[in-house]
Amino acid sequence: RCRSFSTILACNTALAALIYSVTNVSSGIYILIWDQQVIPTVDALCSVRAYIYHSSIAAFHHSFVLQAIHKFCKIKGSTWLSTRCQKICFILFQWLFDFTFDLPALVTGNMVKLISDNICFVTLSKLEFVIYMSVVAYFLPDIIINVTHKLLVRYTRKVASRVNTNQERQMRRDLIVVRRIVMLNLPMAIVGIPVLIIVILTIVLQELLPHNI
């Protein structure tokens, strides 16, 4: 049972959460250090920490998407994730995507220390990067998970009368797992609301934000 794909996906989420937590602790330490300095000395790894931060938060959200898709395929009886190679590629693709989607912001020098705060982050002066990374890391995964849950609820109700008791029980168990994924992902989605507010303020009322951040 410990080698089941569901367990592996749960460990995948735990790994993403660990990387995200370590990155947050690192950012917190640097915030404390810079708060003690009159003129903060920005180190060369600031942009790298911002890059890992954005990649890890995306990996955390997307790991829930992988779990939801796996349950979707299982309930629907799809053979898409039936082989070991497909399962490995499924996870590897997620990590490859999460550590490449924000590379344009890194290589163009748009991962910086914000003047308005002692934190390394994507620059708020480039709305295209802020919107793109917010959508990919926060909003798109939430939409996929919620749509998957609704489709599975509809499918389970539709086929409930055509399957035996054991199959129906297993389908409902998998559906409960997806529902819990939605509930676990919800707090992280709420955390992304301030990012959305900043984007809106930047677009509508740019004069409210400090310049050159």
Side-chain angles (χ1 to χ4, degrees):
R1 184 177 178 82
C2 293
R3 298 181 181 179
S4 69
F5 191 50
S6 296
T7 304
I8 293 174
L9 289 177
C11 293
N12 182 56
T13 299
L15 176 61
L18 176 62
I19 297 174
Y20 176 58
S21 299
V22 171
T23 306
N24 272 307
V25 170
S26 174
S27 298
I29 293 173
Y30 274 92
I31 289 174
L32 291 175
I33 294 174
W34 286 337
D35 283 345
Q36 304 302 318
Q37 300 175 352
V38 178
I39 301 178
T41 303
V42 182
D43 61 292
L45 296 178
C46 178
S47 58
V48 176
R49 288 197 302 275
Y51 164 70
I52 297 176
Y53 170 83
H54 289 290
S55 295
S56 61
I57 189 63
F60 185 65
H61 281 272
H62 295 161
S63 68
F64 283 122
V65 174
L66 262 61
Q67 292 191 53
I69 292 177
H70 170 241
K71 292 302 180 183
F72 180 84
C73 294
K74 185 177 179 181
I75 293 176
K76 295 275 288 186
S78 173
T79 59
W80 184 49
L81 292 174
S82 58
T83 67
R84 179 176 298 180
C85 180
Q86 290 174 335
K87 294 175 180 177
I88 294 175
C89 291
F90 190 51
I91 296 176
L92 289 180
F93 175 79
Q94 177 228 313
W95 286 98
L96 180 62
F97 176 81
D98 291 332
F99 278 88
T100 55
F101 88 99
D102 52 352
L103 275 178
L106 176 66
V107 299
T108 55
N110 286 296
M111 297 281 191
V112 297
K113 176 192 172 297
L114 301 182
I115 295 177
S116 59
D117 204 352
N118 289 329
I119 187 172
C120 300
F121 205 74
V122 60
T123 178
L124 301 182
S125 62
K126 297 291 186 178
L127 290 181
E128 59 272 22
F129 283 124
V130 176
I131 295 175
Y132 161 68
M133 294 174 65
S134 298
V135 169
V136 173
Y138 288 100
F139 305 113
L140 188 58
D142 298 334
I143 293 173
I144 294 175
I145 292 173
N146 281 278
V147 169
T148 301
H149 177 254
K150 291 184 181 299
L151 289 176
L152 287 179
V153 170
R154 185 181 304 175
Y155 177 78
T156 302
R157 291 174 179 174
K158 181 180 179 181
V159 302
S161 60
R162 302 201 301 264
V163 296
N164 59 48
T165 303
N166 291 334
Q167 289 176 323
E168 182 181 1
R169 185 181 297 112
Q170 183 61 49
M171 289 173 60
R172 294 193 179 279
R173 287 177 180 174
D174 291 332
L175 185 59
I176 290 174
V177 172
V178 177
R179 185 177 295 114
R180 289 175 179 173
I181 291 173
V182 174
M183 295 175 63
L184 287 172
N185 191 60
L186 182 60
M188 299 302 299
I190 294 175
V191 172
I193 292 178
V195 177
L196 177 62
I197 294 175
I198 291 175
V199 171
I200 294 175
L201 288 177
T202 305
I203 296 174
V204 180
L205 301 171
Q206 292 188 8
E207 65 274 10
L208 294 182
L209 292 176
H211 296 289
N212 300 322
I213 62 174

